[in-house]
Amino acid sequence: MRLRMKGGPYKLRWRAKEPSLALIVLVCITILIWTWDKSPTLTSTLTSKNQLQLPPDIETVAVDSKRHVKDDISTLARSEAVNNKEEHHVDKTHSTGIGKSSSDFETVPIQKKEEAIKHKHSPKREKTGVIESGSSSTEIEETNNVILGRQFSEQEEKRMEHQACDYTKGKWVIDDSRPLYSGLGCKQWLASMWACRMMQRQDFAFENLRWQPKDCELEEFEGPKFLERTLAFVGDSLGRQQFQSLMCMITAGKESPDVLDVGPEFGLVIPPGGKRPNGWAYRFPSTNTTVLYYWSSTLCDLEPLKPEDPQTEYAMHLDRPPAFLRDFLHRIDVLVLNSGHHWNRGKLRANKWIMYVGGEPNTNRKIADMGSAKNFTIHSTIKWLNSQLPEHPHLKAFYRSLSPRHFVNGDWNTGGSCNNTTPMSIGKEVLQEESSDLGAASAVRGTGIKLLDITALSQVRDEGHISRFSITSSPGVQDCLHWCLPGVPDTWNEILYALI
């Protein structure tokens, strides 16, 4: 008797196929998962709610997927130099829609270096593209090279941020940590005629003001950071004020017996029959830093027509830079030029200066005009200096804009005054787009010389002048040109410090 298997032969064959089909399904699922993990196409098909949303101005950086980023992204070893003060926290549960790269990394948002500097304080931010982790190996390699290659130190990042800052816009605010030095204590460097603490003035609220830029911060001044540099101020008495201000700032107004007088190295000695040298130069041995000032109120070359005659007239060569610059430019690392208030007929007659152009007395009436002569000279000197920059790649050159005067109801010799001693500018913003000194801005435009623009921020500080408290002026004559020190010129140096 034949036994018939239940279900027949077809049923037996079907059961035999079950293991094979299960194996095929398992293989397909494995391939699908692997493909999902590797394919940028599949990853890009995810809905936006399933992907990690990146805020504006960020790019993705490969970071170990087992690490969370908290508070400050700079705590990560590979990103410790990135200045990112926003708090970031990436949870694994949020990264399910992000495909893994071949190195099994996940993406973490970090601000782009350039974009962070440019837009850090801007109310409007532009979105940047996102580099997907499923990009080609070439793109991944280039991205990693960019990220890993930008291991900026914190100091270098701050430098880039400060260079991008517009220090001309901002406001004056009260800061109880000011001034940076004592007007009574900095007697070694500060001329008594500018130390208002040594005068009869009683209101010193002006010393407690600090300039606050609109979209950034001024780096805290630290004198020792001027390492192995020679800083030179070349200009008029306002340049001398900035020079003395910097000396007081570097020493914090304290006696510094170790500082060396190196004036003779730069030809700064008292000439025969003179009362003082044409400038001063001092060196700090601990940092090998030299700070000097050379008096050149018009930034042109002055040549005695009769050197043997004490009463000689001087050729005022409008198209030649001062001989001091030609002789010592190679030794200067930071140069600050200024000119302005000596460009008047009275000064030229008193100093016996005669305008020369091309080695001959000037006969061009257009240049003879005082304003035109000034512009012609400044442009000539800046043009010459710019031509020297390729030969002196270490040199950082600045032209400082005009320091404003605040005479009211007259000039210095006609009863003009500046009696206000109370700061009236606190909290008022200075937001103009262009420099108030159009001549200075025009002179440096298109050159490698930078404009140290201090005019507008100084314009609102009329209470900071020496005013009627001057100990050197004649009775009834006020000084509404020079500043009390400590005072406004300290801010000029803070901005200069940030720029260099």
Side-chain angles (χ1 to χ4, degrees):
M1 181 178 180
R2 287 185 184 175
L3 295 175
R4 300 181 65 90
M5 297 183 66
K6 188 175 180 179
Y10 295 100
K11 187 69 175 180
L12 181 61
R13 293 174 185 173
W14 174 256
R15 289 184 175 179
K17 292 181 179 180
E18 286 180 353
S20 299
L21 290 176
L23 179 60
I24 292 173
V25 171
L26 180 60
V27 171
C28 289
I29 292 175
T30 301
I31 294 175
L32 180 60
I33 293 175
W34 183 86
T35 304
W36 183 277
D37 188 54
K38 295 296 182 180
S39 173
T41 304
L42 289 175
T43 302
S44 63
T45 61
L46 290 172
T47 61
S48 59
K49 67 175 65 177
N50 291 329
Q51 296 192 56
L52 178 63
Q53 299 298 309
L54 302 180
D57 294 340
I58 59 173
E59 67 178 345
T60 57
V61 180
V63 180
D64 190 344
S65 62
K66 295 182 180 181
R67 301 184 65 172
H68 286 202
V69 183
K70 300 179 180 179
D71 298 328
D72 189 350
I73 198 76
S74 63
T75 56
L76 291 180
R78 68 179 71 248
S79 306
E80 65 183 38
V82 179
N83 181 22
N84 184 4
K85 297 182 180 179
E86 298 179 1
E87 291 187 355
H88 296 284
H89 181 82
V90 180
D91 199 335
K92 292 180 182 178
T93 59
H94 293 165
S95 62
T96 56
I98 301 294
K100 301 289 176 65
S101 68
S102 58
S103 57
D104 194 28
F105 281 6
E106 72 178 7
T107 54
V108 176
I110 294 181
Q111 287 185 322
K112 281 188 178 180
K113 182 72 178 183
E114 295 84 352
E115 294 296 324
I117 294 173
K118 183 177 180 181
H119 300 292
K120 181 176 180 182
H121 302 280
S122 176
K124 296 182 180 179
R125 294 174 178 252
E126 298 179 359
K127 292 186 177 181
T128 59
V130 176
I131 303 174
E132 297 184 0
S133 59
S135 302
S136 66
S137 59
T138 302
E139 292 175 340
I140 294 174
E141 182 178 356
E142 291 178 353
T143 302
N144 289 337
N145 287 341
V146 170
I147 301 304
L148 296 178
R150 291 177 179 173
Q151 300 298 318
F152 290 97
S153 66
E154 182 178 348
Q155 180 179 357
E156 187 170 358
E157 180 167 335
K158 287 183 179 180
R159 178 182 62 80
M160 293 182 66
E161 179 180 338
H162 291 314
Q163 287 181 342
C165 180
D166 184 357
Y167 296 109
T168 63
K169 297 180 180 180
K171 60 186 177 182
W172 291 97
V173 298
I174 298 175
D175 188 340
D176 292 335
S177 67
R178 300 306 172 100
L180 298 175
Y181 56 91
S182 168
L184 289 174
C186 194
K187 297 179 181 179
Q188 186 175 1
W189 316 113
L190 183 56
S192 59
M193 62 182 175
W194 295 330
C196 289
R197 285 278 179 176
M198 301 175 65
M199 303 177 188
Q200 294 181 355
R201 180 165 181 161
Q202 301 298 319
D203 184 354
F204 297 98
F206 71 94
E207 291 185 347
N208 299 119
L209 297 190
R210 172 177 59 82
W211 178 248
Q212 173 62 61
K214 183 176 185 297
D215 294 325
C216 47
E217 296 288 337
L218 270 175
E219 184 176 358
E220 184 177 355
F221 182 88
E222 295 182 46
K225 285 191 175 181
F226 288 108
L227 300 177
E228 299 184 356
R229 291 181 180 180
T230 296
L231 295 88
F233 296 93
V234 177
D236 57 21
S237 57
L238 276 302
R240 184 184 172 195
Q241 280 208 300
Q242 190 173 1
F243 158 73
Q244 292 191 3
S245 163
L246 185 60
M247 291 297 296
C248 289
M249 291 170 68
I250 293 177
T251 61
K254 299 177 181 179
E255 289 292 321
S256 304
D258 60 321
V259 178
L260 305 176
D261 181 353
V262 294
E265 293 184 17
F266 298 89
L268 302 177
V269 295
I270 299 177
K275 296 181 179 180
R276 65 185 184 188
N278 285 331
W280 296 265
Y282 299 101
R283 180 168 298 137
F284 295 82
S286 60
T287 60
N288 195 27
T289 299
T290 301
V291 182
L292 68 85
Y293 163 76
Y294 178 77
W295 185 83
S296 178
S297 61
T298 55
L299 294 182
C300 64
D301 195 21
L302 295 175
E303 181 183 22
L305 296 177
K306 298 179 179 179
E308 68 283 355
D309 184 2
Q311 303 300 319
T312 183
E313 295 179 324
Y314 290 81
M316 185 182 182
H317 296 285
L318 305 184
D319 51 353
R320 294 185 195 172
F324 178 85
L325 289 180
R326 301 197 307 269
D327 294 339
F328 297 103
L329 188 64
H330 65 284
R331 297 189 58 181
I332 299 174
D333 300 296
V334 179
L335 174 64
V336 182
L337 304 175
N338 92 281
S339 182
H341 294 296
H342 278 253
W343 289 94
N344 61 73
R345 296 292 176 189
K347 292 287 187 182
L348 266 63
R349 284 195 296 267
N351 291 315
K352 301 179 181 179
W353 294 344
I354 301 175
M355 294 184 186
Y356 270 59
V357 176
E360 301 290 339
N362 176 54
T363 57
N364 188 328
R365 291 186 177 181
K366 291 183 179 180
I367 295 180
D369 172 77
M370 198 57 58
S372 298
K374 173 192 170 184
N375 288 335
F376 178 82
T377 301
I378 301 306
H379 279 259
S380 296
T381 299
I382 293 296
K383 182 179 180 181
W384 171 84
L385 181 59
N386 189 61
S387 71
Q388 300 300 305
L389 293 181
E391 299 180 19
H392 307 283
H394 64 284
L395 177 63
K396 294 183 179 180
F398 299 85
Y399 183 80
R400 202 204 72 221
S401 64
L402 192 67
S403 174
R405 309 178 337 148
H406 289 93
F407 289 99
V408 178
N409 298 324
D411 211 327
W412 69 274
N413 58 350
T414 58
S417 63
C418 48
N419 290 315
N420 176 43
T421 59
T422 303
M424 305 295 291
S425 60
I426 298 174
K428 297 180 180 179
E429 290 191 312
V430 177
L431 299 175
Q432 65 188 55
E433 296 296 331
E434 296 182 350
S435 174
S436 298
D437 189 348
L438 298 179
S442 173
V444 302
R445 187 175 297 120
T447 72
I449 288 78
K450 294 181 174 61
L451 179 65
L452 180 57
D453 192 358
I454 54 84
T455 305
L457 64 89
S458 304
Q459 186 68 52
V460 297
R461 293 295 308 277
D462 62 302
E463 88 292 346
H465 289 294
I466 295 172
S467 183
R468 61 185 181 275
F469 305 104
S470 174
I471 61 176
T472 58
S473 62
S474 303
V477 176
Q478 294 196 15
D479 188 349
C480 304
L481 169 64
H482 298 100
W483 303 90
C484 289
L485 292 176
V488 173
D490 302 335
T491 296
W492 306 348
N493 283 324
E494 287 184 279
I495 296 176
L496 175 64
Y497 173 79
L499 293 174
I500 63 176

